Amino acid sequence: MNVEAIKAIYFYEMARTRRTLLQSVVSPVVSTALYFIVFGAAVGSRMQEIGGVAYGGFITPGLIMLTLISQCVMNGSSGIYFPKFTGTIYEVLSSPVAMTEILIGYVGAATTKGMMIGLIILATAAFFVDLSIAHPFLMLFFMLMTAVTFSLAGFIIGIWAKNFEQLSLVPMLVIPPLIFLGGTFYSVEVLPPFWQTVSHFNPVLYLVSGFRWSFFEISDVQPLISILMIFAFLALCLGFLAWVFRTGYKLRN
């Protein structure tokens, strides 16, 4: 494996983050802080506890997941799309670099960015709500696996997209509804039976629920099922990318 090639792609992408610090880091952190102020302090003070947890604390894992998933998809997709858009992808494809090394470089950078923002938001949450983490290592595991999986999903979107409209289609119109309807601000147990059943078809529910369990040991689904769902989604993304690399689908479009 060409480690130097991976490092070159990785550090180039991380340098792009430093050049756009306000957009890449400050903006999502400020946006999430506003959620804490509105829902955690203003609304949360009038809400009943959920599973023995204050509402402000209950929504914290969901808000971290909301930003983590959105940022990983966005960074993963833009990382590979812009070389296609500018034509520099041809330089990468013609160099002695394997497709797996390209994947590790771009997805590794997107994952790192997502983890950085997620941990910053976690630290920010401590200023607004009383926060405790029952299983810190499991919490980090959920964060890391979610970041890797959705960075891969973003990479797939970046390969598929032919223009900026398609690039923003999934992050803007698909991901937010899945996150908001995945138990970010509520427990699915408060929903009518029919909508509880529908919610269990939302893959984000399992991520948010498992992540919340690592904080408070309360969840809408069993943590083991949440872990299995992460691995299933990861396997799906890796399987699709294996097909992409084997066929060269849209890499040269």
Side-chain angles (χ1 to χ4, degrees):
M1 181 171 289
N2 190 341
V3 178
E4 293 301 320
I6 295 173
K7 289 169 60 177
I9 296 173
Y10 176 86
F11 286 115
Y12 176 82
E13 285 297 302
M14 294 305 296
R16 188 160 62 89
T17 299
R18 291 193 295 271
R19 293 194 299 269
T20 58
L21 191 63
L22 287 176
Q23 177 185 351
S24 302
V25 178
V26 177
S27 178
V29 171
V30 171
S31 298
T32 308
L34 292 175
Y35 278 114
F36 282 119
I37 294 172
V38 174
F39 290 97
V43 177
S45 61
R46 294 170 173 79
M47 298 287 288
Q48 295 180 350
E49 292 185 348
I50 302 177
V53 178
Y55 184 72
F58 178 84
I59 66 173
T60 297
L63 289 175
I64 295 173
M65 274 289 170
L66 184 155
T67 306
L68 179 67
I69 291 173
S70 300
Q71 290 297 309
C72 286
V73 170
M74 183 180 70
N75 287 318
S77 59
S78 62
I80 189 63
Y81 175 79
F82 280 103
K84 286 175 55 181
F85 177 74
T86 59
T88 55
I89 189 64
Y90 295 107
E91 299 176 7
V92 178
L93 294 175
S94 61
S95 63
V97 181
M99 296 305 302
T100 52
E101 295 163 356
I102 296 173
L103 176 67
I104 293 171
Y106 282 115
V107 172
T111 299
T112 303
K113 296 174 192 177
M115 288 293 293
M116 286 171 49
I117 295 172
L119 292 173
I120 291 172
I121 291 173
L122 178 62
T124 303
F127 291 98
F128 298 96
V129 297
D130 293 327
L131 202 59
S132 62
I133 305 174
H135 305 280
F137 291 107
L138 185 61
M139 183 271 293
L140 289 173
F141 168 80
F142 269 108
M143 281 189 70
L144 179 60
M145 293 303 297
T146 301
V148 171
T149 301
F150 280 89
S151 294
L152 286 168
F155 190 85
I156 292 171
I157 294 169
I159 291 175
W160 164 76
K162 292 182 178 179
N163 50 51
F164 286 99
E165 183 179 357
Q166 290 185 349
L167 184 69
S168 61
L169 181 65
V170 174
M172 295 296 294
L173 297 181
V174 178
I175 298 298
L178 289 177
I179 297 174
F180 279 94
L181 299 177
T184 300
F185 296 103
Y186 59 87
S187 169
V188 296
E189 293 180 357
V190 304
L191 299 175
F194 172 78
W195 291 109
Q196 288 188 35
T197 302
V198 172
S199 295
H200 281 81
F201 287 95
N202 181 354
V204 175
L205 169 67
Y206 299 89
L207 305 182
V208 173
S209 182
F211 193 54
R212 182 173 286 130
W213 191 89
S214 70
F215 280 79
F216 310 116
E217 294 187 329
I218 59 172
S219 62
D220 294 310
V221 296
Q222 292 294 326
L224 179 59
I225 298 177
S226 297
I227 293 173
L228 292 175
M229 285 296 293
I230 292 178
F231 281 117
F233 191 21
L234 178 63
L236 181 65
C237 291
L238 289 174
F240 182 81
L241 284 169
W243 174 78
V244 168
F245 293 160
R246 187 171 62 252
T247 61
Y249 171 77
K250 284 199 173 183
L251 282 177
R252 294 178 173 83
N253 286 0

